Amino acid sequence: MDSRSPDSLSPGPDAAAATPAPATVDLAPLRRAARPRWPELAVWLLPVAAWFLLPEDLALLTQIAIMAIFALSLDLVLGYAGIVTLGHAAFFGVGAYAAGLLAAKLGIGDPLLGLLFAAAVAALAGLVTAPTVLRGTGLTRLMVTIGIGMMLFEAANKATDLTGGVDGLQGIEMTPILGLWSFDLWGKTAYVYAVVVLLVLFLIARRIVHSPFGLSLRALHMNPARMPALGVSVDARLAAAWVLGATYAGIAGALLTQTTQFVSIDVLGFERSAEILLILVLGGAGRLYGALIGTIVFVTLHHVLAGIDPEYWQMWIGLVLIGIVLFARNGIMGAIDPFERLLARKKTEP
Amino acid sequence: MTAPALHTRNLVKTFGGFTATDDVSLTLAPGARHALIGPNGAGKTTLVNLLTGVLAPTAGAVFLAGEDVTGLGQHRRVRRGLARTFQINRLFADLTVLESVALAVGERRGVGWRVWSPVGAQGEVLDEAARLIETLRLADVAHRRTRDLAYGRQRLIEIALALAVRPRVLLLDEPAAGVPTRESRALFETLAELPRDMTILLIEHDMDLVFRFAERISVLVSGAVLLEDTPDVVATHPLVREVYLGEATHHA
Ligand SMILES: Nc1ncnc2c1ncn2[C@@H]1O[C@H](COP(=O)(O)OP(=O)(O)OP(=O)(O)O)[C@@H](O)[C@H]1O
Ligand SMILES: [Mg+2]
């Protein structure tokens, strides 16, 4: 019970005449829910501002955009569908190698074709792994995701003819994007390319999370046991989210390959899976902007701290992360939540 | 002759050596108002779990409209028109009332796989959800999150979710548990107004409510059906009095 308890009691049939509680449901707030809002525009001005303010750092900024896509993909899987994974780099790596091999071995250097190919291969990898991952729950599931990540890493490590093993995959030549923009030495094309892909994928994700399917993922995350009682097959929804996340991760990996023209075996590394989880938790899982904010804050922190203290930066970053996660349990976006709800309340209850 | 809306044949469920459901053959005629009563631990919820497919029976079979559904998963039975409420709320804490009900209505209408249009654009789903919310007198809190509501009002969401399925058979596991008396009256008025072609099985400890609602009553004791008859007969039956001595007041 809280201070609002009087209005949280049902009026009941006899009290209905006395209490002028609204008898009809106003659908307008829900109809408005998916509309873009002002703060969102501000976030998307950041990459534009960065272009002008940090022209020397375009390579780093490109990495941020790619990492943000990767974080977004984990957000769909973990933040929305609630599947905890520590093997998400598997799909990032699959996408990176798919794009790399397509260019290096088959000589197909068209970037967009490469993205599509990587997306398809990663989606397939998602489809293949889904039954195994989703069979278990909790810790079992987590172990399976780690196992899949390790297996892929070893496979890439052993298949040196194909992947170059620890030396990495070289000989990746990219043709101009749409035949118009070639990748330049200053990384301008690469930056714009990565940001545009991020924007497109973000808008698609935004649409999906506001859809009935997105609502079902959120609900399933909150209470999986209830969903079958509504006639929903939980496994099918989770599998769909898993494949979607894999696809996004694959595209992120492909972008890294294309913008660096190289694939290091690190793309499949466990550290990458752990780092992206950190980033998402830091930014706030279950909110698309959490993935973006988390990436920006993490990479910036990393960069700044490594500049100040090249030797012990990891310790500092660990300290900052623990601090943030302790004081804002739902990440940076979670810390904004109460204010947002207050605003929303004011709007619906004039 | 039409098939019963729901029936079971010699249903048995054991947990280890313990028999929670003991050879239950229950029949609900179409449109039945049937109550299931029995002391705590009698196996009422276990029976509902067997009927809905949450649990697989050790032996026996469950039929929905004459069709054997024993091997079907929960969600498949729901799609065939079998809905339930849970004795303890199982809700979506961070969804608003409207979102929760729209989710349930949308899933029944088959829009749950739509990825490209917003929830707010599902006109028919939202309208139906709004009507249901109004029927359950939740309109004033439609935009509040479930977790911010008192338990008694959350209970109404539990019922709204089940009704959103538009069930042919509805299983209510102590729908008024945790609801203040005044509100439970209103709740039962709503239940009494449900369409007559909906078959309802009610589990309830408050005998007043049971006798007002039910046309037939089964008494479950230690997993087995002790007797099944009309409320008049059950009310005066010596065996029932024996079982219920001191029990009815205990739980209400
Ligand atoms: N999953 C389980 N594992 C082991 N025992 C169980 C399980 N579920 C229920 N039981 C036991 O089965 C018996 C019947 O439980 P059930 O919940 O069906 O009773 P009930 O009639 O619904 O009681 P109440 O009126 O308290 O809700 C109880 O003794 C309970 O401990
Ligand atoms: Mg029970």
Side-chain angles (χ1 to χ4, degrees):
Chain A
M1 282 287 188
D2 56 22
S3 57
R4 295 186 305 272
S5 56
D7 72 67
S8 67
L9 287 170
S10 162
D14 44 352
T19 326
T24 57
V25 176
D26 178 16
L27 293 173
L30 192 55
R31 292 224 161 93
R32 280 198 304 263
R35 281 194 207 153
R37 284 174 296 172
W38 286 112
E40 298 190 58
L41 191 63
V43 172
W44 287 101
L45 285 175
L46 286 177
V48 180
W51 166 270
F52 291 108
L53 298 176
L54 304 164
E56 305 289 314
D57 295 315
L58 288 184
L60 179 70
L61 294 168
T62 306
Q63 301 289 318
I64 294 183
I66 292 169
M67 202 103 98
I69 296 172
F70 190 34
L72 203 57
S73 83
L74 185 64
D75 203 12
L76 292 170
V77 166
L78 182 122
Y80 284 90
I83 307 167
V84 183
T85 167
L86 264 172
H88 209 48
F91 303 114
F92 186 91
V94 163
Y97 277 113
L101 291 170
L102 187 74
K105 307 282 171 187
L106 299 178
I108 300 176
D110 184 77
L112 295 185
L113 216 56
L115 283 195
L116 279 182
F117 179 68
V121 175
L124 192 67
L127 210 58
V128 170
T129 50
T132 324
V133 171
L134 300 179
R135 176 167 307 151
T137 51
L139 212 50
T140 319
R141 191 181 274 174
L142 192 65
M143 291 303 129
V144 172
T145 62
I146 295 175
I148 289 172
M150 283 165 71
M151 272 162 52
L152 271 174
F153 183 90
E154 265 325 296
N157 193 17
K158 289 274 147 46
T160 43
D161 288 350
L162 208 57
T163 62
V166 284
D167 296 333
L169 179 66
Q170 284 165 358
I172 299 164
E173 302 262 348
M174 286 287 116
T175 60
I177 300 165
L178 293 172
L180 293 173
W181 297 284
S182 44
F183 289 94
D184 55 290
L185 275 177
W186 300 273
K188 287 185 176 175
T189 304
Y191 175 65
V192 175
Y193 178 47
V195 169
V196 168
V197 173
L198 169 63
L199 177 63
V200 169
L201 290 182
F202 186 89
L203 291 177
I204 293 173
R206 195 182 185 287
R207 248 194 121 97
I208 293 174
V209 302
H210 283 108
S211 71
F213 173 73
L215 177 63
S216 77
L217 289 188
R218 282 204 289 148
L220 193 142
H221 187 179
M222 286 173 219
N223 194 345
R226 180 60 196 233
M227 295 305 272
L230 301 181
V232 180
S233 160
V234 172
D235 287 351
R237 294 293 155 91
L238 288 179
W242 181 253
V243 172
L244 182 69
T247 310
Y248 267 53
I251 294 174
L255 271 179
L256 183 67
T257 299
Q258 296 180 346
T259 55
T260 57
Q261 319 222 333
F262 177 72
V263 186
S264 150
I265 196 156
D266 295 347
V267 291
L268 285 167
F270 176 77
E271 289 78 13
R272 189 177 292 276
S273 295
E275 185 181 77
I276 207 66
L277 185 60
L278 258 177
I279 286 177
L280 185 63
V281 172
L282 172 71
R287 303 157 183 83
L288 294 181
Y289 283 99
L292 300 196
I293 304 288
T295 309
I296 295 170
V297 171
F298 182 87
V299 178
T300 308
L301 265 180
H302 179 163
H303 198 66
V304 169
L305 291 174
I308 297 173
D309 187 347
E311 219 173 329
Y312 296 112
W313 66 271
Q314 277 188 317
M315 195 188 80
W316 297 119
I317 212 166
L319 214 59
V320 173
L321 286 175
I322 290 170
I324 291 181
V325 175
L326 279 185
F327 289 105
R329 271 194 52 235
N330 293 315
I332 298 169
M333 287 300 286
I336 305 174
D337 251 13
F339 303 101
E340 233 192 325
R341 234 187 332 272
L342 210 67
L343 277 175
R345 174 81 61 78
K346 282 221 178 83
K347 262 185 208 155
T348 52
E349 294 170 19
Chain B
M1 209 199 106
T2 57
L6 179 78
H7 71 287
T8 68
R9 188 189 292 154
N10 308 108
L11 216 49
V12 176
K13 180 69 188 177
T14 56
F15 296 111
F18 175 77
T19 306
T21 303
D22 187 3
D23 197 29
V24 172
S25 295
L26 184 75
T27 300
L28 303 185
R33 294 289 183 271
H34 199 117
L36 183 65
I37 63 172
N40 293 125
K44 303 181 294 295
T45 300
T46 302
L47 183 58
V48 168
N49 286 339
L50 291 170
L51 296 177
T52 51
V54 174
L55 294 173
T58 310
V62 179
F63 301 84
L64 200 54
E67 186 196 355
D68 189 343
V69 296
T70 318
L72 292 185
Q74 259 187 94
H75 71 277
R76 294 228 159 74
R77 298 188 199 191
V78 173
R79 297 222 161 265
R80 281 169 170 72
L82 177 65
R84 72 173 294 181
T85 62
F86 290 87
Q87 182 172 355
I88 294 164
N89 283 346
R90 289 204 183 173
L91 299 169
F92 306 107
D94 287 323
L95 296 188
T96 66
V97 176
L98 179 57
E99 283 172 332
S100 305
V101 179
L103 167 77
V105 171
E107 292 297 346
R108 190 202 81 241
R109 283 175 164 264
V111 309
W113 279 102
R114 283 192 192 166
V115 294
W116 206 243
S117 62
V119 173
Q122 314 297 321
E124 290 180 354
V125 170
L126 295 188
D127 286 338
E128 191 185 324
R131 294 300 87 75
L132 194 49
I133 289 169
E134 288 155 12
T135 307
L136 290 165
R137 301 188 183 86
L138 285 167
D140 56 318
V141 290
H143 297 288
R144 296 270 288 273
R145 290 187 314 169
T146 301
R147 68 159 74 250
D148 295 333
L149 302 183
Y151 191 85
R153 302 211 80 187
Q154 290 185 12
R155 212 71 196 118
L156 295 173
I157 307 176
E158 184 66 48
I159 290 163
L161 294 184
L163 290 180
V165 169
R166 288 238 175 117
R168 280 193 290 250
V169 181
L170 176 61
L171 314 175
L172 298 162
D173 195 353
E174 303 195 26
V179 181
T181 318
R182 194 172 62 123
E183 291 175 40
S184 80
R185 301 279 161 207
L187 172 59
F188 270 85
E189 271 166 42
T190 309
L191 294 180
E193 283 161 17
L194 291 174
R196 272 309 314 212
D197 58 354
M198 192 186 285
T199 306
I200 301 176
L201 178 72
L202 170 73
I203 296 174
E204 177 55 60
H205 282 286
D206 184 331
M207 288 306 135
D208 274 355
L209 296 174
V210 168
F211 288 118
R212 205 138 8 114
F213 181 84
E215 288 157 4
R216 282 197 83 74
I217 298 176
S218 295
V219 185
L220 201 66
V221 179
S222 307
V225 178
L226 184 70
L227 89 147
E228 186 204 310
D229 217 312
T230 58
D232 294 341
V233 176
V234 171
T236 54
H237 202 285
L239 274 176
V240 176
R241 293 183 156 263
E242 196 177 304
V243 168
Y244 263 84
L245 212 60
E247 269 285 347
T249 46
H250 168 77
H251 209 275

